[in-house]
Amino acid sequence: MRALLTAAALVAATAAGAQTQLAPDPAPTPTVAPTAAPAYPATRILIASDSTAMSYGADRYPQTGWGQMLGCGLQPGTDVVNRAIGGRSTKSFIAEGRWDKLMAESRPGDTLLIQFGHNDASSNRPERFAPAATLYRDNLLRMIWEAKGRGLTPVLVTPPARRSFQNGRARADFAAYSNVMRDLVATTGVPVLDLEGRSLALLDASGETAARKYYLHLTPADKAPGFPSGTDDDTHFSEFGARAMADIVAAELKGAKLPISERVLATRPDLTRAKPLGTTRCH
């Protein structure tokens, strides 16, 4: 009797073992991919730059920055967040915390235009000076990678030309800085808008004397709000000049084939005016 029970137990155990071996493996637990931060539509352009792009109040008219006029070349509903500020270089823009503030207000999907160089070249101003091949390059790389890390599309903009002529031809006063930007295209894949090259061509087409209209050349008789004594300034733009520079940026941006490019108007009559409007409004 004991032998029969033992044999029966053995058969039951064997059957249970076989049943256990034949049982299918449990289905693997699905892996849930981390949720990426939602990207916003490409309808905002941020600008990090200096006085050549800065927005000015009516008390400074006719001084105007190209960033102030850029919106006139964009479809309605496209916002320009212009954080350009006079006297800043890549070095001082970062040191003053302006870069960090700009990153904090950015959002995925934004396009960021980065244009510096004029003040970086100020070797007599240590708080601004950033040698082109070293600190300026490093600062641009920081801006590029931090912007990309936040889901932005960084775009480099070469510094606009001054009214600086040599032997009858417009001269690039910040060529070393522009060349650094062009070199970074190959290593970072970031597009560059050649405001320098296109503005030099504009000045050459106008000639040294006629090119004065793009810059701040005023006399007391002009009764300009911000310049009662007049001024002769070959760096900063008049309303007319800012519209022309903004049109160059818009045209370059249109050709860059970026998501924001679709927001750039194909024709931009508010930027290609034959004479100033007398205001920084679009029309």
Side-chain angles (χ1 to χ4, degrees):
M1 185 68 176
R2 183 186 301 271
L4 289 175
L5 289 174
T6 302
L10 180 60
V11 171
T14 302
Q19 190 174 24
T20 301
Q21 291 176 4
L22 292 175
D25 294 333
T29 303
T31 301
V32 179
T35 303
Y40 291 84
T43 58
R44 291 208 316 174
I45 296 176
L46 280 55
I47 301 176
S49 187
D50 53 32
S51 58
T52 60
M54 181 178 167
S55 295
Y56 296 87
D59 61 329
R60 294 292 295 176
Y61 185 83
Q63 184 170 3
T64 313
W66 65 257
Q68 186 172 358
M69 302 308 307
L70 183 60
C72 297
L74 306 174
Q75 293 180 7
T78 310
D79 295 328
V80 177
V81 181
N82 190 4
R83 295 295 178 254
I85 184 74
R88 269 59 178 189
S89 64
T90 56
K91 181 179 181 179
S92 58
F93 197 85
I94 291 172
E96 293 174 2
R98 297 180 185 275
W99 173 254
D100 289 339
K101 289 180 181 178
L102 181 56
M103 289 296 95
E105 68 176 315
S106 69
R107 63 193 193 193
D110 287 345
T111 299
L112 172 63
L113 304 184
I114 303 169
Q115 182 237 289
F116 291 99
H118 281 226
N119 295 303
D120 293 81
S122 302
S123 57
N124 62 330
R125 302 289 294 272
E127 74 278 9
R128 300 180 181 180
F129 183 49
T134 53
L135 184 58
Y136 177 74
R137 183 179 185 277
D138 290 344
N139 287 340
L140 288 180
L141 282 171
R142 171 183 171 175
M143 291 177 173
I144 289 169
W145 295 124
E146 288 190 11
K148 283 190 171 186
R150 288 179 174 268
L152 280 60
T153 300
V155 179
L156 300 176
V157 183
T158 57
R162 300 178 67 251
R163 181 178 165 270
S164 178
F165 280 75
Q166 185 175 37
N167 300 323
R169 301 283 296 179
R171 177 177 61 187
D173 291 333
F174 306 99
Y177 291 87
S178 297
N179 287 336
V180 168
M181 285 190 165
R182 296 185 185 105
D183 289 342
L184 288 177
V185 174
T187 56
T188 66
V190 169
V192 62
L193 311 184
D194 195 10
L195 178 55
E196 179 191 68
R198 294 278 299 269
S199 58
L200 286 170
L202 177 67
L203 299 185
D204 279 334
S206 299
E208 185 171 0
T209 300
R212 288 168 59 92
K213 63 188 175 185
Y214 298 115
Y215 299 86
L216 289 173
H217 289 277
L218 303 165
T219 69
D222 292 311
K223 298 182 179 179
F227 306 91
S229 301
T231 186
D232 283 301
D233 183 342
D234 288 318
T235 298
H236 299 99
F237 303 119
S238 63
E239 174 217 329
F240 187 73
R243 289 180 187 271
M245 297 300 160
D247 186 58
I248 290 174
V249 173
E252 290 275 297
L253 198 56
K254 185 73 171 177
K257 307 301 182 185
L258 298 171
I260 198 66
S261 300
E262 297 180 0
R263 310 290 301 180
V264 180
L265 298 173
T267 58
R268 299 170 292 277
D270 286 326
L271 298 181
T272 56
R273 302 182 62 86
K275 59 182 180 180
L277 187 61
T279 176
T280 56
R281 295 196 308 268
C282 289
H283 52 267

